[in-house]
Amino acid sequence: MNIAVLAGDGIGPEIIAQAVRLLDVLKAEGFDIELEYGLIGGSAVDATGEPYPEMTHQLVSRADAVLLGAVGGPQYDVLPRPQRPERGLLAIRKALNLFANLRPAILYPELAKASSLKPDVVAGLDIMIVRELTGDIYFGKPRGIEMRDGQRVGVNTMVYNEAEIQRIAHVAFRTAQKRNRRLCSVDKMNVLECTQLWRDVVEETGKAYPDVKLSHMLVDNAAMQLVRDPKQFDVIVTGNMFGDILSDEASMLTGSIGMLPSASLDSHNKGLYEPIHGSAPDIAGKNVANPLATILSVAMMMRYTFNQEDVAQHIEEAVKKVLVQGLRTSDIASQGMHVLGTREMGDAVLSAF
Ligand code: NAD
């Protein structure tokens, strides 16, 4: 397991350190793990002038998986756009052809109060959103703002070809096979031809997965159902733009940004694993950041890149045990809970592991 570790900026180094301690334990238990460290984002700009330097590109290209903290910070917001830390993220996704973004929205029953929805609607929520990441209206051409008949017109193009839809559908069906075998594909086929093709191709691809129950939903209804009854879903698959919006909606249902991991995969299950949150400059360097999203990203890495389902579950169980014990970082603490710092939360997970 060759893993490239890119801590990034802000709380990145603190949360990554806890995930690395876990990887060190796995290594000591006999797993063949090699870690190599690199720079990305603002820290890479400081050292090299670029957010995604060539050395980092070499490093992630030879790795099987990448573990990333977060990038960004107010000190970099004045830089020209090509040098902004966030460009490093876009560059690495593009360079590795990471077309499938997997974002679980999980709400542990112990944290049900953190959600803005009623606890009985969300407690125990466990859904996975599979979002296509490299196509759709975000990349389609023609695009731009132009003059037509004396007024400005804005144009973007929603476009998917069958191969692009098939490859994300395969990822979604395989993901559903590893979970509760239900897949809901989200589109807007009543208005958009592009998504009629989406629905047709997902339906055709599904013939190879008779064990997965496939359903379809229009995106407006899906947005509504996510707040009305989110637990009806197991896996949702959708295009880039709908996925952008629905995955944020779903993760915010949980109210615990410090708890949610993510994976971005290529067609050979090479993946970039990172928490969904940013670099949280407001709390950086204070040993208060929640490292659990990063630790759970390691669990996703074990599941999706290294096919180590047992190890993945073991990590997730350790996180659950810690929550059941009433241990919390301050972002998820409620009254009567024992509040821990970043490193102490890492200690707690390791002793529960
Ligand atoms: P953010 O996710 O960094 O922080 C939002 C809020 O959540 C803050 O109050 C922060 O303290 C809190 N928070 C986030 N992660 C936490 C954790 N693990 N534990 C406890 N609290 C946590 O979003 P933002 O403030 O909008 O952005 C800050 C910087 O991060 C910006 O430069 C932004 O561009 C960047 N960003 C990076 C990524 C990424 O690297 N993938 C994603 C989003 C934002």
Side-chain angles (χ1 to χ4, degrees), residues 11 70-73 86 89 257-258 274 276-283 289-290 331:
I11 59 171
V71 300
E86 293 76 6
L89 273 186
I257 193 172
E274 57 181 330
I276 69 155
H277 60 72
S279 57
D282 51 333
I283 56 168
N290 187 344
D331 56 314

Side-chain angles (χ1 to χ4, degrees), residues 23-325:
L23 288 166
D24 286 342
V25 168
L26 287 171
K27 195 171 173 175
E29 281 179 3
F31 285 91
D32 185 7
I33 294 175
E34 284 304 324
L35 304 181
E36 269 195 274
Y37 295 83
L39 294 169
I40 195 160
S43 53
V45 172
D46 291 341
T48 69
E50 289 175 46
Y52 181 61
E54 178 57 29
M55 261 174 67
T56 301
H57 178 63
Q58 302 286 337
L59 171 69
V60 300
S61 300
R62 61 177 179 262
D64 302 311
V66 182
L67 181 65
L68 192 140
V71 300
Q75 68 272 44
Y76 304 109
D77 290 345
V78 294
L79 292 174
R81 286 196 180 273
Q83 277 180 309
R84 300 252 178 104
E86 293 76 6
R87 281 295 170 102
L89 273 186
L90 296 180
I92 192 172
R93 285 176 187 153
K94 187 155 182 254
L96 299 183
N97 201 12
L98 304 171
F99 68 89
N101 185 225
L102 271 59
R103 258 168 73 160
I106 296 173
L107 185 52
Y108 297 93
E110 294 77 19
L111 302 180
K113 280 198 211 133
S115 173
S116 54
L117 296 190
K118 292 189 199 112
D120 59 310
V121 175
V122 284
L125 177 74
D126 181 355
I127 60 184
M128 175 73 82
I129 302 209
V130 178
R131 166 190 172 194
E132 202 287 331
L133 210 54
T134 54
D136 203 352
I137 196 164
Y138 292 177
F139 296 94
K141 287 186 179 148
R143 63 185 300 159
I145 301 173
E146 60 196 40
M147 289 301 284
R148 285 190 201 164
D149 299 329
Q151 66 169 336
R152 286 175 300 165
V153 176
V155 180
N156 288 93
T157 304
M158 179 177 260
V159 56
Y160 270 120
N161 64 35
E162 319 185 50
E164 289 171 320
I165 303 170
Q166 274 161 2
R167 66 179 185 173
I168 190 76
H170 281 298
V171 172
F173 280 108
R174 288 200 299 267
T175 305
Q177 282 181 322
K178 289 185 177 174
R179 295 171 45 99
N180 292 319
R181 296 169 189 268
R182 286 184 293 116
L183 175 63
C184 178
S185 172
V186 171
D187 60 44
K188 187 72 181 166
M189 58 76 86
N190 54 341
V191 184
L192 300 169
E193 288 80 359
C194 177
T195 70
Q196 175 68 59
L197 180 70
W198 176 281
R199 187 174 289 210
D200 295 346
V201 174
V202 171
E203 193 68 41
E204 290 154 23
T205 310
K207 297 207 170 79
Y209 302 89
D211 53 331
V212 176
K213 191 172 174 326
L214 173 66
S215 61
H216 302 273
M217 197 179 275
L218 296 175
V219 64
D220 41 352
N221 188 24
M224 191 172 72
Q225 294 300 331
L226 271 174
V227 285
R228 195 187 71 87
D229 178 20
K231 286 195 264 184
Q232 70 184 279
F233 297 107
D234 177 21
V235 180
I236 292 175
V237 63
T238 190
N240 202 346
M241 179 167 63
F242 298 158
D244 188 0
I245 299 162
L246 293 181
S247 62
D248 262 16
E249 184 189 359
S251 55
M252 287 306 122
L253 291 178
T254 71
S256 333
I257 193 172
M259 297 292 304
L260 297 176
S262 77
S264 303
L265 305 177
D266 75 359
S267 38
H268 308 289
N269 281 348
K270 176 168 178 160
L272 169 74
Y273 297 86
E274 57 181 330
I276 69 155
H277 60 72
S279 57
D282 51 333
I283 56 168
K286 296 182 178 157
N287 193 43
V288 297
N290 187 344
L292 294 178
T294 317
I295 287 171
L296 290 166
S297 298
V298 174
M300 286 190 89
M301 179 189 288
M302 290 297 150
R303 174 171 294 125
Y304 292 105
T305 291
F306 298 122
N307 252 318
Q308 298 283 345
E309 180 61 30
D310 286 359
V311 181
Q313 283 186 17
H314 205 124
I315 297 171
E316 289 162 355
E317 287 302 324
V319 169
K320 271 184 212 153
K321 270 190 224 159
V322 165
L323 296 176
V324 170
Q325 287 162 15

